[in-house]
Amino acid sequence: MAYKLRSGVSYVWVGSAPVFLDLDHNRYFKMSSSGASALMRLEQGQMAMPGDAEILVGSGLISATECPSIVAPTGNMPAITGSYFDQARRPSLGHVMVAVIDQLWAFAMIRWGGLAGAVAKLEHRIQQTRGLECPDDIGRLVGAYRLIDLVLSAEKRCLVRSFALARSLTRYRVGFSLVIGVRTGPFGAHCWIQKDQISVSDHRDKAREYVPVLIL
């Protein structure tokens, strides 16, 4: 029997624990030790122990398929070596307006459409807006978001702020990766924007303690 991850589900190993992100239910969580052992055997193509299939399929995260099994953790990102926060430029009024509008969009989309809806909208927009980019726009956009951070703290708004910044970057056809990462000690999650090895949404060291569980 072959298996696949349910649509909207991704996971990553953090030490010996698989941490799952379930977009449809707006949650991330660690799998039980028995589920972790079954998942590891599935990754290795074994599924030899009685009850493995029942544990994994019963979790609602994995389903049977007629195609070859595609169950694997999210890949990694290049190590961050710098940050656009150190290169932020004075924003124009236009860049500030874009930052305000896109943060309102991200808040409404995540609040009312859920994380899965926000991801789908952003993925579609990314596919439609790849193209030439102007590096100067990145620095000015970061400057605009930093200006707004003086009024609205960025500390607990990483999800809305990162989705908003991602949408802003698509306006200027800037290539980037939006990443949701997790950690287990203490258990937590963080969302950030990365362009190659440069952080766009945070200072350089902010994302280093998190392991990517979703990359757009």
Side-chain angles (χ1 to χ4, degrees):
M1 178 68 72
Y3 299 89
K4 65 177 182 179
L5 289 172
R6 176 169 57 78
S7 176
V9 169
S10 57
Y11 75 95
V12 66
W13 289 91
V14 184
S16 60
V19 180
F20 280 78
L21 173 65
D22 186 347
L23 295 178
D24 291 337
H25 294 91
N26 290 348
R27 65 179 186 137
Y28 61 97
F29 56 94
K30 289 194 295 185
M31 182 173 263
S32 66
S33 58
S34 59
S37 298
L39 179 63
M40 183 173 292
R41 286 189 287 270
L42 174 58
E43 283 185 11
Q44 297 170 349
Q46 298 176 9
M47 292 291 280
M49 297 292 292
D52 277 1
E54 288 76 8
I55 292 173
L56 295 174
V57 175
S59 70
L61 304 172
I62 292 173
S63 60
T65 177
E66 296 181 356
C67 303
S69 289
I70 306 177
V71 176
T74 300
N76 215 329
M77 288 290 294
I80 293 175
T81 59
S83 171
Y84 278 99
F85 264 47
D86 301 326
Q87 308 167 26
R89 301 191 59 185
R90 183 175 180 177
S92 68
L93 178 59
H95 287 94
V96 173
M97 290 301 296
V98 163
V100 170
I101 290 170
D102 286 342
Q103 290 199 63
L104 290 173
W105 170 87
F107 175 80
M109 180 57 62
I110 293 172
R111 178 72 178 272
W112 306 114
L115 189 54
V119 167
K121 289 284 188 182
L122 187 57
E123 281 184 319
H124 178 73
R125 188 174 178 88
I126 290 171
Q127 293 170 2
Q128 299 297 315
T129 56
R130 292 295 193 201
L132 297 176
E133 61 185 62
C134 176
D136 184 60
D137 283 321
I138 304 176
R140 292 186 183 277
L141 274 175
V142 172
Y145 276 80
R146 293 196 68 179
L147 182 63
I148 295 173
D149 289 345
L150 297 176
V151 180
L152 300 173
S153 172
E155 187 62 30
K156 296 183 179 180
R157 297 190 308 114
C158 68
L159 192 64
V160 168
R161 190 171 171 278
S162 294
F163 272 77
L165 179 54
R167 192 171 193 267
S168 297
L169 290 169
T170 64
R171 294 177 182 271
Y172 299 94
R173 298 185 178 275
V174 175
F176 62 88
S177 296
L178 181 143
V179 187
I180 296 178
V182 291
R183 67 183 182 189
T184 57
F187 196 61
H190 181 55
C191 185
W192 70 92
I193 303 292
Q194 185 172 335
K195 181 173 175 58
D196 301 321
Q197 294 176 291
I198 309 298
S199 173
V200 183
S201 58
D202 297 303
H203 289 292
R204 185 183 66 180
D205 296 332
K206 178 68 175 180
R208 287 185 172 179
E209 59 191 280
Y210 297 90
V211 183
V213 68
L214 177 70
I215 301 172
L216 299 184

